[in-house]
Amino acid sequence: MGSKHSKPSGPDNSAEVESGENTAEAKPTSSKPAPGPDDPTKVKPVNSKVLRGMLAAHLPLELVDEILGDVMYGPKICVSGDKPFRLSANDISNTNASKCCLIAPPLPGPSRLGEEGSSTKTRMIRFRISSHDQGWASELGEPGTTYQGAYSWFEAIILRPIFPRDGSREQLGSFLIERVERELALPSVDDLQQFGFTYGGGMTWMLQRNAKAKSTLTNHEIIWTKGGAFGNPGSGGGAGFVAALQKGDRVAVIARAMFPDWENHVESVQVDIYHD
């Protein structure tokens, strides 16, 4: 499967900021007109009772309460990458391919240079992925029924600013797109540092495997909190991910495919980040 160290490219993605129940409207990020009644950035109520019931069917109530604990009543960052693509391990000489699905906006609050304690109050991250692999495998087993031995998957990483620089975020995005589209490999720490960024946490987190040898789309939903995870078969536990986040960090999702003939067909990826 994925190595501990992997890194991203950045196709088109869109972002919005929402507020949950009992909160003021989200602060605009630019001098744009106020959202209209059909605008996707409009404040929307969150049905926390439905979510609580869904979580309680799979998790202890203590963990459910921690997940919900004020989460659904605070602001939310939403980012989506809905430009479908196919990633093939055969397209790179070492058959170990990576491609960035999306990069989220910076987490709220400026990151103070050199301050280790600048943690953000992120409570929960929800990932939603629609994808499939190449649709066949040489190993025995019923297609689409297992995630074991699937070498087509997704990882989550943290991009952390290490020094302020005008335009560095835009330059980073352009660099990741060009670099990964050309080489299908994520940049080194030295490359990232040219743009004032590094990899937060020092590693990648396994997010979700594709169902093995299944040629049709599967929708996966994964929830990570500081205290636990809720997901599907083939999902990662996200241990330490939410706790590692700091103000100014950017969450990114990476598609992976490794070994000859393995592919990752990505239809869409969405990330919702709930914070105080």
Side-chain angles (χ1 to χ4, degrees):
M1 266 310 301
S3 62
K4 266 192 161 184
H5 295 276
S6 311
K7 303 136 202 173
S9 108
D12 296 338
N13 54 261
S14 57
E16 62 182 69
V17 178
E18 293 185 2
S19 293
E21 298 169 346
N22 302 328
T23 57
E25 290 196 358
K27 295 180 180 179
T29 55
S30 64
S31 56
K32 294 180 180 178
D38 298 322
D39 194 294
T41 63
K42 177 189 171 188
V43 174
K44 306 181 184 77
V46 178
N47 192 334
S48 57
K49 291 182 180 179
V50 171
L51 179 57
R52 191 177 195 279
M54 180 184 73
L55 295 176
H58 300 273
L59 300 173
L61 286 177
E62 295 82 359
L63 180 55
V64 172
D65 290 338
E66 179 180 347
I67 291 173
L68 292 179
D70 291 340
V71 162
M72 305 308 292
Y73 301 94
K76 178 175 70 169
I77 294 173
C78 303
V79 58
S80 60
D82 52 7
K83 184 178 179 180
F85 64 87
R86 178 186 68 90
L87 176 68
S88 173
N90 290 348
D91 290 340
I92 186 169
S93 60
N94 65 356
T95 63
N96 187 1
S98 304
K99 185 179 177 72
C100 186
C101 302
L102 60 80
I103 304 175
L107 294 177
S111 180
R112 297 181 183 177
L113 183 61
E115 182 185 13
E116 293 294 331
S118 58
S119 60
T120 182
K121 291 186 178 179
T122 299
R123 297 292 194 91
M124 180 178 89
I125 303 181
R126 178 173 61 183
F127 303 89
R128 285 179 281 189
I129 299 170
S130 181
S131 61
H132 66 85
D133 69 4
Q134 67 282 351
W136 63 275
S138 58
E139 296 86 349
L140 296 176
E142 187 67 23
T145 62
T146 181
Y147 293 82
Q148 187 175 4
Y151 293 100
S152 170
W153 74 101
F154 297 84
E155 296 173 341
I157 67 170
I158 299 170
L159 293 170
R160 175 161 297 156
I162 53 177
F163 59 82
R165 187 152 136 196
D166 291 342
S168 60
R169 293 190 185 105
E170 291 74 15
Q171 293 172 16
L172 172 67
S174 299
F175 168 72
L176 290 174
I177 293 171
E178 179 184 350
R179 168 67 176 270
V180 182
E181 289 290 344
R182 184 178 68 248
E183 300 182 18
L184 295 182
L186 299 173
S188 67
V189 172
D190 289 342
D191 287 337
L192 276 183
Q193 287 177 347
Q194 298 178 45
F195 302 93
F197 284 82
T198 190
Y199 291 102
M203 59 176 290
T204 66
W205 282 260
M206 211 292 289
L207 179 57
Q208 178 68 53
R209 294 183 181 90
N210 280 318
K212 185 177 177 181
K214 184 179 179 182
S215 60
T216 56
L217 291 171
T218 299
N219 297 320
H220 294 105
E221 182 168 348
I222 310 98
I223 293 174
W224 288 351
T225 73
K226 288 183 179 178
F230 166 71
N232 325 266
S235 64
F241 187 88
V242 175
L245 292 171
Q246 296 183 7
K247 295 176 183 178
D249 285 351
R250 307 184 75 183
V251 174
V253 175
I254 311 302
R256 299 292 312 278
M258 186 169 69
F259 298 136
D261 299 328
W262 281 90
E263 298 178 355
N264 196 341
H265 295 248
V266 182
E267 182 69 18
S268 65
V269 177
Q270 179 170 327
V271 177
D272 300 325
I273 304 173
Y274 297 86
H275 56 88
D276 289 341

